[in-house]
Amino acid sequence: MKLTKTFKAFFESEKSGGILLLFVTLGSLFLANSAIQTDYIAFWDTQIGHHSITHWINDGLMTIFFLLIGLELEREIYQGELSDLKNAALPIFGALGGMIVPAGIFLALNFGTITQNGAGIPMATDIAFAIGILSLLGNKVPTSLKVFLTALAVIDDLGAIMVIAIYYTESISFLNLAIAFGIMGGLFILNRRNVHSLWPYLLGGAGMWYFMLNSGVHATITGVLLAFVIPFGDGGKKTISYKLQHFLHNPVAFFILPLFAIANTCIAINPDWHEGLTQSNTIGIIAGLVIGKPLGIWLFSFLAVSLGICTLPRDLKWSTILGAGMLGGIGFTMSIFITLLAFKNNGEEVITYSKIAILLASFMAGTIGFVWLKFNLKTRKTKSTTT
């Protein structure tokens, strides 16, 4: 399978970004539990314009991350893995299983409790971390596995975005929402009239973000909506969609996501931190990510192939699909993001314990997935050499 230059650039930036995320997360945890703990944590709570620095990062800068996700999703739909329904079916079904089964496990443990709202937490996959771990396996990784995991993670993100929009919106100001969509409609008209200057779309996007923020719907959704009104054209290098996507790769991978990780993992770990791991919500998060993700991805992929909806690529085995599912259990960015929304009314302690559970589950999923794939890909290579 031949990879496009756009996919290669995306894969490389996510790979490097994932490695950087690991280092900044460890650094933030260290500082949050060092001699400067109080000042460090207080810094991220500093108020600027009635909102903390962390809030501006989560509701502001992360909108740019969602814009990039939207642009990547659009490209996948028009030109990439998702443009052919037969090829797209495998990662689509895998992603569905990777969302439904983990959420089901979480709800089974938390239904009827004050933490049942966290069912969306184990549904997410962190693209940067998952691709970063996969890249450590080197050239032995089949191209089809790279494409499968990337497409699955992108679809996963779309699912997470829909969950945020539908389930984590408490009250809606229909006037502000109508204005936001009115601006989007105006941008769509510019698109149809072949206006290919980027500035009107960015200025309109800023207006959309403001009114979406005040509508009650999470403001980051603006990024995805904006992506689909920016002209795609033929997807070539001269289109503003391509230029913007290409421009955003590095700022998102090497600035926005690391900043999000730093601000949201400054966790003061108490001596009794392990006691929080016995709560139903933390057990649900860990079980959902470590067990539910690979089980759901493998099971739904197997059913799709068995029913003749799609086929398994010739260079993949079911054991490697399971390994990709294990890497899918690395939730991190999106899981933490959903945690902040799901438990914002449950107190800081619930959020802290949930973040610790996400970090532990992501570490476990990444480690198990890496070891599993290293063994299976090595076995695959040995067999192909001897035949």
Side-chain angles (χ1 to χ4, degrees), residues 21-257:
L21 277 179
L22 176 62
F23 283 107
V24 298
T25 298
L26 292 174
S28 185
L29 285 169
F30 173 78
L31 292 174
N33 293 276
S34 67
I36 63 168
Q37 177 188 95
T38 303
D39 292 336
Y40 180 68
I41 295 176
F43 169 77
W44 297 108
D45 291 328
T46 302
Q47 296 291 306
I48 301 176
H50 306 296
H51 294 293
S52 68
I53 293 176
T54 300
H55 186 272
W56 282 114
I57 293 169
N58 295 345
D59 282 33
L61 285 180
M62 285 298 283
T63 304
I64 301 174
F65 164 71
F66 280 90
L67 171 59
L68 178 60
I69 290 295
L71 291 169
E72 288 163 351
L73 180 63
E74 183 182 37
R75 183 166 298 276
E76 284 294 314
I77 291 172
Y78 286 130
Q79 294 184 336
E81 186 69 10
L82 305 182
S83 61
D84 185 316
L85 190 58
K86 189 78 174 178
N87 292 335
L90 185 63
I92 286 174
F93 273 84
L96 285 174
M99 291 185 281
I100 293 171
V101 175
I105 290 175
F106 185 94
L107 280 176
L109 294 167
N110 290 270
F111 187 75
T113 70
I114 60 171
T115 55
Q116 70 174 6
N117 205 33
I121 297 171
M123 293 172 66
T125 295
D126 189 290
I127 299 179
F129 263 130
I131 290 178
I133 297 296
L134 188 66
S135 69
L136 296 177
L137 294 164
N139 295 327
K140 66 176 69 174
V141 180
T143 298
S144 294
L145 185 60
K146 295 179 182 179
V147 172
F148 174 78
L149 182 59
T150 304
L152 181 144
V154 170
I155 298 165
D156 211 323
D157 276 344
L158 176 61
I161 290 165
M162 293 174 65
V163 166
I164 291 170
I166 297 170
Y167 294 104
Y168 296 118
T169 297
E170 294 180 349
S171 59
I172 297 178
S173 167
F174 288 100
L175 176 60
N176 284 300
L177 189 63
I179 295 173
F181 278 108
I183 295 172
M184 181 181 173
L187 296 179
F188 180 74
I189 292 172
L190 293 181
N191 182 317
R192 294 291 87 189
R193 290 187 173 275
N194 295 316
V195 175
H196 292 286
S197 173
L198 185 58
W199 287 109
Y201 297 97
L202 295 183
L203 291 174
M208 281 177 62
W209 178 85
Y210 175 80
F211 287 105
M212 195 70 78
L213 179 68
N214 289 283
S215 73
V217 177
H218 204 270
T220 52
I221 302 301
T222 305
V224 179
L225 297 176
L226 178 61
F228 280 88
V229 295
I230 292 175
F232 183 80
D234 62 0
K237 291 184 178 181
K238 294 183 179 180
T239 62
I240 61 173
S241 176
Y242 178 92
K243 290 177 180 177
L244 183 59
Q245 181 183 348
H246 184 73
F247 173 80
L248 289 178
H249 271 156
N250 286 342
V252 168
F254 301 111
F255 177 69
I256 293 174
L257 288 183

Side-chain angles (χ1 to χ4, degrees), residues 250-295:
N250 286 342
V252 168
F254 301 111
F255 177 69
I256 293 174
L257 288 183
L259 196 59
F260 172 85
I262 293 169
N264 289 283
T265 56
C266 55
I267 306 169
I269 301 177
N270 299 321
D272 60 346
W273 64 271
H274 56 279
E275 294 180 6
L277 300 180
T278 60
Q279 298 175 0
S280 59
N281 71 296
T282 52
I283 294 173
I285 290 170
I286 294 173
L289 288 172
V290 178
I291 299 173
K293 269 290 184 180
L295 177 62

